[in-house]
Structures are given as C-alpha cells and as structure tokens.
Amino acid sequence: MKPIPAYVIIAVFAAMMVIGAIYVYNNDDGSYEASAEINESGTVTYSLSGPGSVFTYSVFANTKLPEKLFLYCDDSYKSDLNDRYIQREFFTVLQQLLERRGMTAEFADAEDLVDIMGHNDYAVFFVSGALPDTVYDGKTDGDSLFVKWLSEGGTVYWTGPEIGRYVSTHDGVKDYGTGFFGGDVLISDENYEFAHIESDMFRYTQVRYDDCKYGLRADRADSLPLSYVSDGGYSSVSAAKVLGGNVTVFGGNVATTNIVFQVLMDRTCCADLLICGLTYESKGLDHGEGTVRGKLSASTAVDVSSASDRIFLIIVGDPASNWSKAMVLSDE
C-alpha cells in the first residue's frame, strides 16, 4: 500500500476544519447553559451544562459593557477601503453570533450616528475604514461630534486603516494623512506581519486572531494587547484610550475576507471579545480550563471581591468557540 501524500492529508484536514466550522456555526442549538456568582469567600462559583466539550473560563475587571451596540453600515457613502457587500455580510453574521451570546446589535447609517453619539454609553463598530462626514471632519483635535463623543467616553470597535485618517462622503473618501494614533499602526504592505507571540491577556481572552495589518503598536501608552503580538511589535487586537473614550482595534482583514473558515474564526473572535466589554484598563484576574460532560459545578481560586466591573467569561470549544457567555459579577 502506497503512503498517502502529505498534500492530500493537509487538504483533507483543511476540508474537515471548514466542515467543522460550518457545522458549529449552523448547529449551535443553545444546548449549553452557564451561571456564575461571587460566593461568601470572594471567589466565583460557576456551573456549566451541555454536550461533552472542552471549555475555558476567565474573570475580568475594569470592564465597560455598552448600553447599546450599533453596527455602522451605509451603502450611500463611498468606501474605497473595504467592499460594502462584505461589510454588510460581516455584520450580519456577527449580529447572529452576538445574539447567541446574549448581546443585541443594531445596524446604523451615517445619519443615525448623529443621534447615537449623543449617548456616551453607546458603542459603534466600524468596518468601513473611514468615518462619515456627518460626525467627523478629519480634525482629531477639532470639535466634531465624533471627537466630542469620544472625549466624553464613547466606545468604538474598529477595523481597517488608522481611525480618524479617512473621512467618507457620498462622493468619495478624503485622506487626512494620519489619525488618532499618529501613525502608530502597521500600514506597510511590504512589511505585512502575522502575530504569534501571546500577549499577557491572551490566556484570559483566548482570542486566536493573528493578522496585524493596521494593528496598533503593542507598546503604545494607554493601550492593551488582547490577543497576539508580532515580532515587529504590533498587536493583532488592542484596546486603546483615544481622548476620553475606548477604541478596540482589530487588525487585518477581519471584515474583508470571504474565505469560509477564516470568516467564521474572525467573526467568532470579535463576538467573544465584544460580550466582555474589555477596555485599555481591563485586567485578567483568573482563568482556567476543563471539560464538561452533562453538568459541571466548580469554583475559582482567586478572590475577586475587591475588584470592580467584573465579568465572568466561559468559552466552549477549541480553537473556535461554538458557544460562549459573559456574565456580570455583582455582590448582590
């Protein structure tokens, strides 16, 4: 019997991964349940039930969950930076993944942003690579609605070229040269980097996203890498302080690729991060892993009672989660 060529084995494995990802996405039947609370000792007691699977848990502090989350998509505004059809498809899938995790998200256009940015507890996810002229004029130190909103604590999720560099209109996109990060992002196609070094927060987030194009420098002040860091010092996902607000930057092509397996992995990474409300000030307090078969009850080993704004996260499945849940931990 002739040995099977290596390329055949690789092709079969890749096909199985894609089929598995599609199965996970289309067959999340809500069969998992989880709960968590702080017990008298200050540690966390949690329970998880569902079909047999591996899981991880993490406890975060200094989080900020938005009162409402909006997904910016406006087909009437020009965007030479990202394909508008893929943008909408990305958000449609992300919206479904978030709903399965207990978070709702609404679509918003350029005019909607005017009202949204009157609420500092709201968050907006942008994948257009450009801010619309209804809220931003290209001046990072100006008095536009976007600048005022961020200064007062607004929350942004962002992917694409540096935030604040591009402004979109009905007629086109204007490049202002640099944005809120002062060029502190990876923009060179010649030095395109993928990250493989685990950041300190990776063991808590378990977000396996490695694309660093447009990623923020990992050593930037008032920023926190949430996933991997490249050899060149760029983060694939970072939360950073901008004015008085928080901007989470997803590097690479998180909203532009149409490769099936990558689509599911990328959107799952986004969903698992969004439900935690992590900021540049967030901290990981505890983490662990295990296997559930039917029902499991356990407790953590770290006293979290002195921390504030705590979130308990359970992720089921590996490497891409097929179910996750984030729970606010209160003392009541």
Side-chain angles (χ1 to χ4, degrees), residues 232-255:
Y234 289 93
S235 174
S236 58
V237 186
S238 281
K241 181 180 182 181
V242 176
L243 302 175
N246 186 82
V247 177
T248 298
V249 178
F250 292 90
N253 297 318
V254 66

Side-chain angles (χ1 to χ4, degrees), residues 64-70 112-124 135 145-146 148-156 245:
K64 181 186 177 184
L65 286 170
E67 184 178 328
K68 287 186 178 181
L69 171 64
F70 294 90
D112 293 331
L113 293 181
V114 175
D115 293 327
I116 290 168
M117 290 182 181
H119 301 269
N120 301 333
D121 292 330
Y122 289 178
V124 183
V135 296
L145 181 58
F146 181 77
K148 290 179 180 178
W149 178 67
L150 264 188
S151 298
E152 294 172 0
T155 298
V156 171

Side-chain angles (χ1 to χ4, degrees), residues 34-52:
S35 64
E37 61 182 7
I38 299 177
N39 56 36
E40 293 180 356
S41 65
T43 60
V44 180
T45 298
Y46 66 93
S47 64
L48 175 66
S49 62

Side-chain angles (χ1 to χ4, degrees), residues 66-264:
E67 184 178 328
K68 287 186 178 181
L69 171 64
F70 294 90
L71 313 174
Y72 170 70
C73 192
D74 194 325
D75 295 337
S76 70
Y77 269 69
K78 297 292 184 181
S79 178
D80 302 329
L81 308 170
N82 283 333
D83 182 272
R84 285 179 290 180
Y85 171 79
I86 296 181
Q87 290 178 40
R88 188 169 290 277
E89 182 272 340
F90 167 81
F91 275 151
T92 299
V93 176
L94 179 63
Q95 186 181 48
Q96 295 170 356
L97 291 173
L98 288 172
E99 287 177 355
R100 294 176 183 180
R101 289 158 172 77
M103 175 178 279
T104 59
E106 304 175 28
F107 277 83
D109 61 24
E111 293 298 331
D112 293 331
L113 293 181
V114 175
D115 293 327
I116 290 168
M117 290 182 181
H119 301 269
N120 301 333
D121 292 330
Y122 289 178
V124 183
F125 201 143
F126 293 90
V127 299
S128 58
L131 293 165
D133 62 358
T134 54
V135 296
Y136 183 60
D137 58 7
K139 300 176 182 178
T140 58
D141 58 352
D143 58 359
S144 67
L145 181 58
F146 181 77
V147 168
K148 290 179 180 178
W149 178 67
L150 264 188
S151 298
E152 294 172 0
T155 298
V156 171
Y157 298 97
W158 183 269
T159 184
E162 182 180 9
I163 182 171
R165 175 175 175 176
Y166 295 93
V167 176
S168 62
T169 70
H170 291 296
D171 301 318
V173 177
K174 185 172 182 179
D175 183 356
Y176 284 84
T178 188
F180 289 100
F181 294 129
D184 232 2
V185 296
L186 180 63
I187 59 174
S188 173
D189 290 324
E190 290 76 20
N191 296 320
Y192 199 84
E193 295 186 25
F194 287 89
H196 60 87
I197 303 170
E198 295 179 2
S199 69
D200 291 341
M201 284 292 285
F202 172 82
R203 58 179 176 170
Y204 300 99
T205 64
Q206 293 295 301
V207 170
R208 293 171 170 82
Y209 184 72
D210 62 0
D211 200 337
C212 280
K213 186 175 183 181
Y214 305 130
L216 189 62
R217 284 207 60 85
D219 59 358
R220 181 181 171 85
D222 292 325
S223 71
L224 180 66
L226 300 176
S227 181
Y228 295 130
V229 176
S230 72
D231 290 331
Y234 289 93
S235 174
S236 58
V237 186
S238 281
K241 181 180 182 181
V242 176
L243 302 175
N246 186 82
V247 177
T248 298
V249 178
F250 292 90
N253 297 318
V254 66
T256 59
T257 183
N258 56 9
I259 301 172
V260 175
F261 180 67
Q262 198 65 46
V263 164
L264 296 175

